């Protein structure tokens, strides 16, 4: 195994039942490239939960991270990239801190500072 494989997204999947699948796939791949140095994620996928306030979900400590890419009831209206990326950083923080407590928010702020400074 290549050491670079330790920190990467192994697979990404967009929703096939929604229009704009290729655009969604590009967003997921861009997110994957930007978080590679932070944490390994086995599967990064788009999801569209019934709850419009739910923007992301981390299953099994990054075995599967699910991100909402589109606004509710607007299949072609994708959220801004930086908002989706911020949701991804949020979900990665759950690997170290399950609940939304002071330690969680401190780590999320650190991820944001480093990540957005590096990629701007």
């Amino acid at each position: 195994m290549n050491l670079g494989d330790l920190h990467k997204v192994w697979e990404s999947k967009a929703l096939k039942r929604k229009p704009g699948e290729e655009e969604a796939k590009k967003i997921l791949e861009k997110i994957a490239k930007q978080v590679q140095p932070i944490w390994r994620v086995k599967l990064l996928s788009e999801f569209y939960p019934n709850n419009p306030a739910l923007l992301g979900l981390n299953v099994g400590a990054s075995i599967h991270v699910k991100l909402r890419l589109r606004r509710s009831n607007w299949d072609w209206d994708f959220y801004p990239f930086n908002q989706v990326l911020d949701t991804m950083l949020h979900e990665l923080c759950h690997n170290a801190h399950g609940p939304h407590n002071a330690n969680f928010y401190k780590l999320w702020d650190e991820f944001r500072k480093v990540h957005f400074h590096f990629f701007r």
Side-chain angles (χ1 to χ4, degrees):
M1 176 193 294
N2 181 344
L3 286 180
D5 290 344
L6 295 176
H7 294 288
K8 72 176 211 172
V9 174
W10 291 12
E11 182 181 3
S12 60
K13 289 184 181 179
L15 292 175
K16 293 189 183 301
R17 68 180 192 272
K18 295 280 185 192
E21 179 184 354
E22 285 302 313
E23 179 68 20
K25 183 78 171 167
K26 287 178 188 174
I27 293 168
L28 291 172
E29 288 172 358
K30 189 174 176 183
I31 296 277
K33 285 180 184 171
Q34 290 199 16
V35 301
Q36 267 181 237
I38 299 173
W39 219 286
R40 180 185 62 84
V41 175
K42 189 170 184 180
L43 174 61
L44 176 62
S45 71
E46 176 184 13
F47 82 144
Y48 197 80
N50 291 331
N51 179 351
L54 186 58
L55 300 177
L57 190 64
N58 184 336
V59 179
S62 289
I63 290 174
H64 187 180
V65 174
K66 302 175 182 186
L67 299 174
R68 178 188 283 275
L69 304 182
R70 307 159 196 261
R71 299 180 195 279
S72 296
N73 302 317
W74 298 96
D75 288 346
W76 282 100
D77 191 10
F78 290 93
Y79 282 107
F81 176 79
N82 282 339
Q83 184 175 345
V84 179
L85 177 60
D86 193 47
T87 300
M88 180 67 176
L89 296 175
H90 172 106
E91 295 307 325
L92 292 176
C93 289
H94 282 298
N95 293 329
H97 304 287
H100 294 132
N101 59 25
N103 291 328
F104 175 91
Y105 288 109
K106 182 179 178 188
L107 180 60
W108 192 14
D109 285 343
E110 289 172 15
F111 277 179
R112 285 170 161 164
K113 286 176 191 170
V114 170
H115 197 271
F116 287 111
H117 174 75
F118 182 74
F119 281 99
R120 284 198 191 256

